[in-house]
Amino acid sequence: MPVNESINLALMLTESGIIDHAVQELMMRPQLIVAAEQNPGIKSAMKSQIMKWRGQVQQRISRVSVEERFRQEITLYQEVSQWEPDYFLDHADAVVKKLEGHSAFYFRAKNLLDREHQKHNPMFQSYFCNQWYQALTQSLTEAQQTELEQHKEKLLADLYQRIETMQQMNEVTEAGDEKKAGRLWDMAQAKLTRTDVKSLKAMAAFLKKNKGLQEIAEKLGRMANEVDDPNQARVRSEDLKMVEERSDSVTDDIVGVHESDDLAKLLPNEAMFLAYPELEVVFYKHLVDKRLMNYRMQGAQRKLRKVKAYKRQTKQVEQDKGPFIVCIDASGSMNGFPEQCAKALAYGLMQIALAEERDCYVIMFSTQQITYELTKQDGLREVLNFLSYSFHGGTDLGPVLDQSIALMSSEKYQNADLVVLSDFIAPSQPDAMMKRIHKLKEHKNRFHAVNLSKYGNPELMTIFDHCWSYHPSQLGRLLKWK
């Protein structure tokens, strides 16, 4: 091995395979294997997280070689390995002195130098540098392994935490597809207490009993595919369609008289020719010439025909679905059942967002705005904070619409669904606001409203594309809780 070869830690890691060995060891942990077998979505998400950790930890551990304690010794080693033999012997004592206190090679180097003073080996410099290189390699490898173990323990703690959280979430959410499980895994970094799980269970139970809210959430989830994009070209298509056509063969109505040879529709006076033998030949001549007087019949019949039409391509190609922006009226007038409905509907939209790989933002508004990002990495903590928020204050719809319009004007929020949950006991919005909303609608953004009161302002509801009302009677609420 050339003495001037630098010690490349990244290469050493690749050659030694200690990171790959650590990954294999992680994959073989019984707790991880059991969790992966229970849900394919968790298995995929877990593997993705471990592979991501592999790349990150390789970069972090490679920095060990440039730490101050190793950098100085590596620099000294490279310098000494290129000295002339005589110069090396004259300065060897000073080199060993520099290693004292911070190099694992110090005591070995001192013993080697003491023996050299006695024997005077001409190959001493080469042997000394070779032993030093091996000592450096061993020290670096031990430092790598120590660093790797620390990172591995942190990863294991995080994986076990997510598995525990996912097991608790199984009691709250129904088993979904792989995408939903994968997104939940990303959010499962938060540690849930019994109180947290109880709160989530209560919200899931409320949403399940109020099926109308679940239906609204499902309809909102489908809205993105129903938009007609004006930027897409129209294409010609053929559809089979049942159409009505006028036909003389359908005996619905008598519309007149005409000459023909249809004996079934013969006028009575034409049969008079057959009553006289001398005129019978006239009757047959008229029959051959299709000159017998017949009733003209006409009617309509249904036929399956191909109808050609031009359609937008967006009717055939699925749209990219943007995020949900859920604006919840947190005023005092929403206390009680409306508050529960608003939180449950937002919770339902979050689950749809997880399954469809969309984001879900909640903006609580009254006299101020508070934003929660329910689908981010620690989204479960955000969900719990949102569910524990108490409603108070007054309704001020204008500022939250301003904030939402600003968000939807950015590229990240294209094709977004804005959902406002409120009792809509508020004044109408100015014309300038209406124009801004109309402009966003032209760019595929949708505006929805869920009215949780009988006393909402009807004029205020006109700014939304779709409006739902959900305010069951007191009797209906009592029946739902039985």
Side-chain angles (χ1 to χ4, degrees), residues 266-275 283 286 291-294:
L266 190 68
L267 265 65
N269 60 335
E270 290 291 318
M272 293 294 293
F273 287 105
L274 297 174
F283 175 86
H286 287 176
R291 293 178 55 196
L292 291 174
M293 299 302 296
N294 280 194

Side-chain angles (χ1 to χ4, degrees), residues 15 80 92 130 189 210 219 351 356 397:
E15 292 176 349
V80 171
N130 183 269
Q189 190 176 5
N210 288 270
K219 288 179 181 178
Q351 295 193 53
E356 297 181 351
L397 187 59

Side-chain angles (χ1 to χ4, degrees), residues 163-441:
I163 290 172
E164 181 183 351
T165 302
M166 290 294 289
Q167 289 173 345
Q168 293 173 316
M169 287 300 294
N170 287 339
E171 304 175 18
V172 178
T173 59
E174 297 180 0
D177 57 18
E178 291 189 24
K179 291 181 180 179
K180 183 176 179 181
R183 292 290 299 278
L184 270 176
W185 175 267
D186 293 339
M187 295 168 57
Q189 190 176 5
K191 183 176 179 63
L192 301 183
T193 64
R194 290 184 180 180
T195 304
D196 295 336
V197 176
K198 185 178 180 181
S199 176
L200 291 171
K201 280 185 178 180
M203 190 53 59
F206 183 87
L207 183 62
K208 187 175 182 180
K209 290 179 180 178
N210 288 270
K211 296 188 182 299
L213 292 174
Q214 186 67 48
E215 291 173 2
I216 292 173
E218 291 171 357
K219 288 179 181 178
L220 284 167
R222 294 192 295 267
M223 289 294 179
N225 285 337
E226 297 176 2
V227 65
D228 192 9
D229 187 357
N231 298 321
Q232 296 287 344
R234 290 185 178 271
V235 292
R236 193 171 184 177
S237 64
E238 290 186 350
D239 293 328
L240 290 174
K241 190 175 182 181
M242 191 70 72
V243 297
E244 284 192 355
E245 292 184 344
R246 307 300 296 179
S247 174
D248 292 341
S249 62
V250 179
T251 58
D252 287 346
D253 299 302
I254 298 175
V255 295
V257 177
H258 70 128
E259 292 182 347
S260 182
D261 60 350
D262 190 348
L263 297 177
K265 299 174 183 176
L266 190 68
L267 265 65
N269 60 335
E270 290 291 318
M272 293 294 293
F273 287 105
L274 297 174
Y276 302 96
E278 59 272 19
L279 297 177
E280 186 176 355
V281 67
V282 176
F283 175 86
Y284 291 120
K285 185 176 186 307
H286 287 176
L287 177 64
V288 172
D289 295 340
K290 296 184 179 182
R291 293 178 55 196
L292 291 174
M293 299 302 296
N294 280 194
Y295 292 110
R296 181 184 290 277
M297 313 296 290
Q298 197 173 76
Q301 65 177 354
R302 290 179 176 271
K303 286 186 178 181
L304 198 62
R305 285 185 174 272
K306 286 185 178 180
V307 179
K308 295 182 179 180
Y310 287 90
K311 295 183 178 181
R312 299 266 184 215
Q313 285 182 327
T314 50
K315 294 296 184 181
Q316 299 175 345
V317 181
E318 186 174 352
Q319 292 278 351
D320 292 331
K321 297 180 180 180
F324 287 112
I325 304 175
V326 187
C327 301
I328 298 180
D329 183 356
S331 62
S333 60
M334 287 280 289
N335 272 322
F337 186 75
E339 175 182 344
Q340 290 177 304
C341 290
K343 290 181 176 179
L345 186 53
Y347 184 77
L349 290 174
M350 179 202 72
Q351 295 193 53
I352 292 173
L354 290 176
E356 297 181 351
E357 295 192 87
R358 304 169 69 178
D359 291 326
C360 185
Y361 302 87
V362 169
I363 305 176
M364 311 289 287
F365 69 93
S366 56
T367 52
Q368 60 179 355
Q369 291 86 45
I370 301 176
T371 303
Y372 299 96
E373 187 176 344
L374 303 188
T375 49
K376 67 177 185 177
Q377 284 290 331
D378 56 345
L380 285 180
R381 181 55 53 196
E382 290 279 280
V383 172
L384 293 166
N385 291 337
F386 154 65
L387 294 178
S388 63
Y389 185 85
S390 299
F391 286 19
H392 58 276
T395 303
D396 195 355
L397 187 59
V400 76
L401 287 177
D402 277 329
Q403 182 180 353
S404 301
I405 290 171
L407 289 174
M408 296 171 80
S409 300
S410 64
E411 184 177 354
K412 182 179 179 181
Y413 293 85
Q414 286 186 356
N415 199 20
D417 285 279
L418 174 68
V419 187
V420 180
L421 313 177
S422 175
D423 55 15
F424 292 97
I425 304 175
S428 302
Q429 295 301 305
D431 292 339
M433 178 75 75
M434 303 288 284
K435 290 179 180 178
R436 294 171 65 194
I437 292 173
H438 180 70
K439 186 176 180 181
L440 281 172
K441 289 180 181 180

